[in-house]
Amino acid sequence: MLSKLVKIVSLGSVIAGATIAPAAAQYRRQDYVVIWYTDENETTISGQRVVFCDGGSVRVGMPTLYEETIYYGCS
């Protein structure tokens, strides 16, 4: 019974951590976003990088030569 309770508590903390972390990241101010495309026509996104005002960044997908940068600014 105790091992089952420990498993349930562990699973609950993992689920809570997974739902809290992305929500906290939404409150970070963005400096700029780089969007990478698979071709020069910019029809399909292959990845993107978000750079935050606090110096942190997140990259998803694959960078390519075809990119667009959107600046938001930190001021």
Side-chain angles (χ1 to χ4, degrees), residues 38-58:
T38 57
D39 58 14
E40 63 186 32
N41 295 325
E42 299 181 350
T43 54
T44 305
I45 295 174
S46 67
Q48 53 185 293
R49 179 176 182 223
V50 179
V51 178
F52 299 100
C53 293
D54 63 7
S57 67
V58 175

Side-chain angles (χ1 to χ4, degrees), residues 26-69:
Q26 291 177 2
Y27 295 108
R28 295 172 72 185
R29 293 189 52 208
Q30 297 176 3
D31 187 13
Y32 63 93
V33 177
V34 179
I35 304 169
W36 295 297
Y37 297 95
T38 57
D39 58 14
E40 63 186 32
N41 295 325
E42 299 181 350
T43 54
T44 305
I45 295 174
S46 67
Q48 53 185 293
R49 179 176 182 223
V50 179
V51 178
F52 299 100
C53 293
D54 63 7
S57 67
V58 175
R59 187 184 97 175
V60 179
M62 294 295 298
T64 66
L65 296 174
Y66 311 106
E67 67 181 39
E68 171 187 19
T69 303

Side-chain angles (χ1 to χ4, degrees), residues 2-23:
L2 182 61
S3 66
K4 187 174 183 179
L5 179 62
V6 169
K7 288 180 184 178
I8 292 171
V9 170
S10 297
L11 180 60
S13 64
V14 168
I15 292 172
T19 57
I20 292 170

